[in-house]
């Protein structure tokens, strides 16, 4: 049996991928439309089971468009062009839904202002010479619309979406997973698309991995090294350098991931993840404070050192807890294949398990030392020799 990574396995996967791509292209080209309509070009869109079919007329800068997306009857689908940038905010969209009792499909044209738009009929930010219509058949909506491409430019930022239609109204779509990857810059002349879900998805994944490894693994590991290696006199000062190395590399990866997250956030104008963003900013501030606090660290014998230690530990542990919370929030937004979440849970569970064992061992060592110190009549010093603090 070929294992993942084996050449035979790779070939097999490549063949499946080619077959799947071929099949969607075939579906795309063989699609038929009501009233004998035909379109010269078509693209299978990468998410939400949708495809776009169109004919571009250079002489008057218009495109006849059919957007088709699989959907349940109590759901809506939408397609539109963003004249203000990428993403949802500022898009002029055509939303198809159907009357629950008659099953008649209709189109609402509106402009999406901000994150929580009121969906009232509104003229799009470009001319629509032929009024849009929609049909629902075979478990899919098709929206037909003729648009005058804004600025007579063939390249446009397009968006599409899918969500629940409840109580006769368009309800918000899922704010995660495939529903936040449905953007694409499309050239209506060549059919080429770019800057869409793939590069966005790759950058989101990179953001997730950098943060999970930096804040989620290296920083807790560094904290464990400081807490548990210090008890062993022979590990001094090696534990200190290991601790610093872990925290500095964790901080570097984490800050890179954090900056990428802010960039992704600024690009996603229509949709912001406030708690995830704010926790991320708090983590960055606390961790940066931690780096600068090193410069102010009083000498071991200084009487303020104990306060500095208390501060250093509480800020450090806060970063670790906040990071774990935020990584789970991020996983819920990105909704990667479940193995990612499972792997992360396995890693932090292992770290926690190891920490628990080491905690027990450390306490056993510390208590034994104290007992011995007492029986020798020496004063047991909790902060030095035993090395266990907070
Ligand atoms: C644009 O040009 C095409 C092709 O000549 C024509 O079929 C279509 O009706 C024109 N559209 C408008 C709005 O003038
Ligand atoms: C749009 O641009 C094309 C050339 O790309 C030109 O032939 C056409 O006249 C322009 N249409 C309008 C409405 O400006």
């Amino acid at each position: 049996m070929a294992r993942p990574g084996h050449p035979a396995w790779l070939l097999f996967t490549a063949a499946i991928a080619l077959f799947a791509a071929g099949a969607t292209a075939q579906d795309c080209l063989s699609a038929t439309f009501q009233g004998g309509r035909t379109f010269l070009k078509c693209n299978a869109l990468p998410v939400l089971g949708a495809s776009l079919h169109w004919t571009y007329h250079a002489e008057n800068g218009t495109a006849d468009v059919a957007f088709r997306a699989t959907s349940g009857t109590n759901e809506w689908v939408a397609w539109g062009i963003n004249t203000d940038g990428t993403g949802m905010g500022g898009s002029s969209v055509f939303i198809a839904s159907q009357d629950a009792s008659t099953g008649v499909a209709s189109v609402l044209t509106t402009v999406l202002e901000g994150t929580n738009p009121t969906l009232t009929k509104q003229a799009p930010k470009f001319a629509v010479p032929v009024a849009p219509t929609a049909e629902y058949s075979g478990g899919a909506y098709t929206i037909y619309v003729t648009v005058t491409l804004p600025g007579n430019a063939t390249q446009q930022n397009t968006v599409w979406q899918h969500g629940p239609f409840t109580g006769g109204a368009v309800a918000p779509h899922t704010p995660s997973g495939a529903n936040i990857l449905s953007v694409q810059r499309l050239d209506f002349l060549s059919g080429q698309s770019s800057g869409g879900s793939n590069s966005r998805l790759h950058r989101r994944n990179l953001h997730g991995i950098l943060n999970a490894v930096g804040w989620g693994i290296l920083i807790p590991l560094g904290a464990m090294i400081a807490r548990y290696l210090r008890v062993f006199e022979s590990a001094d000062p090696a534990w200190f350098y290991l601790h610093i190395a872990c925290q500095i590399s964790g901080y570097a990866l984490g800050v890179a991931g954090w900056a990428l997250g802010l960039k992704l956030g600024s690009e996603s104008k229509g949709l912001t993840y406030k708690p995830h963003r704010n926790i991320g900013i708090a983590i960055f501030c606390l961790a940066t404070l931690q780096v600068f606090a090193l410069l102010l660290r009083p000498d071991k014998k200084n009487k303020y050192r104990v306060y500095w230690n208390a501060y250093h530990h509480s800020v450090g542990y806060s970063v670790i807890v906040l990071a774990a919370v935020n990584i789970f929030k991020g996983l819920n937004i990105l909704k990667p294949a479940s193995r990612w979440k499972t792997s992360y849970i396995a890693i932090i569970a292992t770290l926690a398990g190891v920490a628990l064992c080491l905690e027990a061992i450390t306490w056993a060592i510390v208590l034994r030392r104290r007992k011995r110190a007492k029986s020798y009549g020496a004063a047991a010093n909790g902060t030095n020799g035993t090395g266990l603090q907070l």
Side-chain angles (χ1 to χ4, degrees):
M1 186 58 200
R3 276 199 286 282
H6 191 277
W9 179 260
L10 290 180
L11 257 173
F12 176 72
T13 340
I16 292 272
L18 266 178
F19 178 76
T24 24
Q26 200 62 42
D27 283 355
C28 194
L29 292 171
S30 65
T32 55
F33 299 92
Q34 257 182 14
R37 279 182 245 233
T38 54
F39 299 91
L40 286 179
K41 286 200 179 296
C42 92
N43 276 358
L45 300 175
V47 289
L48 303 179
S51 56
L52 194 73
H53 311 255
W54 75 93
T55 302
Y56 170 65
H57 306 290
E59 54 277 33
N60 51 23
T62 64
D64 303 321
V65 173
F67 168 76
R68 179 165 283 177
T70 53
S71 169
T73 53
N74 51 358
E75 290 174 312
W76 57 267
V77 304
W79 178 83
I81 292 180
N82 192 338
T83 47
D84 293 357
T86 57
M88 170 184 177
S91 297
S92 299
V93 295
F94 309 96
I95 308 173
S97 58
Q98 61 187 290
D99 188 292
S101 49
T102 63
V104 174
S106 60
V107 180
L108 170 69
T109 304
T110 189
V111 178
L112 303 174
E113 316 277 12
T115 48
N116 196 4
T118 41
L119 297 177
T120 48
K121 189 172 150 71
Q122 217 174 320
K125 293 188 181 169
F126 42 82
V128 176
V130 181
T133 58
E135 71 184 42
Y136 182 83
S137 82
Y141 279 104
T142 308
I143 299 173
Y144 300 101
V145 58
T146 297
V147 295
T148 302
L149 296 179
N152 196 19
T154 61
Q155 290 194 14
Q156 300 291 340
N157 293 318
T158 64
V159 292
W160 65 101
Q161 199 49 268
H162 180 199
F165 190 73
T166 46
V170 171
H173 65 82
T174 314
S176 61
N179 296 77
I180 51 175
L181 298 172
S182 46
V183 295
Q184 203 169 62
R185 187 163 175 81
L186 175 68
D187 189 329
F188 282 83
L189 182 60
S190 69
Q192 297 276 330
S193 59
S194 65
S197 59
N198 278 337
S199 75
R200 236 172 143 84
L201 182 59
H202 285 153
R203 287 186 306 145
R204 282 200 167 107
N205 287 342
L206 182 63
H207 160 75
I209 290 170
L210 286 173
N211 283 319
V213 173
W215 306 117
I217 298 174
L218 287 173
I219 299 260
L221 194 65
M224 283 167 65
I225 287 172
R227 185 167 172 84
Y228 302 117
L229 275 191
R230 194 166 33 178
V231 215
F232 304 101
E233 271 134 39
S234 56
D236 198 38
W239 72 263
F240 181 74
Y241 294 114
L242 273 174
H243 172 65
I244 293 281
C246 260
Q247 304 317 66
I248 297 222
S249 41
Y251 181 75
L253 289 184
V255 168
W258 177 78
L260 184 54
L262 284 190
K263 178 99 188 10
L264 288 167
S266 72
E267 286 169 11
S268 150
K269 284 197 194 72
L271 196 61
T272 48
Y273 302 95
K274 280 221 181 84
H276 183 64
R277 180 169 174 273
N278 293 345
I279 297 176
I281 292 175
I283 293 171
F284 170 77
C285 293
L286 290 175
T288 305
L289 199 65
Q290 203 73 324
V291 171
F292 283 107
L294 270 186
L295 305 176
L296 298 175
R297 187 171 60 149
D299 188 74
K300 258 188 187 158
K301 298 192 181 69
N302 190 307
K303 64 176 172 165
Y304 292 110
R305 176 63 177 256
V306 58
Y307 299 113
W308 188 89
N309 281 344
Y311 147 82
H312 183 68
H313 294 151
S314 47
V315 172
Y317 289 125
S318 310
V319 166
I320 291 171
V321 171
L322 286 176
V325 169
N326 223 24
I327 287 167
F328 280 107
K329 282 199 180 296
L331 282 167
N332 285 340
I333 294 168
L334 201 51
K335 291 209 171 84
S338 63
R339 63 171 192 276
W340 288 97
K341 198 168 183 171
T342 318
S343 312
Y344 180 63
I345 292 176
I347 291 171
I348 57 164
T350 309
L351 283 180
V354 170
L356 218 64
C357 292
L358 290 176
E359 189 73 30
I361 293 172
T362 308
W363 275 104
I365 294 177
V366 167
L367 292 179
R368 207 175 58 205
R369 272 187 202 162
R370 278 193 187 157
K371 213 162 148 194
R372 204 186 300 155
K374 252 193 204 134
S375 63
Y376 281 110
N381 184 337
T383 55
N384 242 339
T386 62
L388 193 74
Q389 297 158 2
L390 204 90

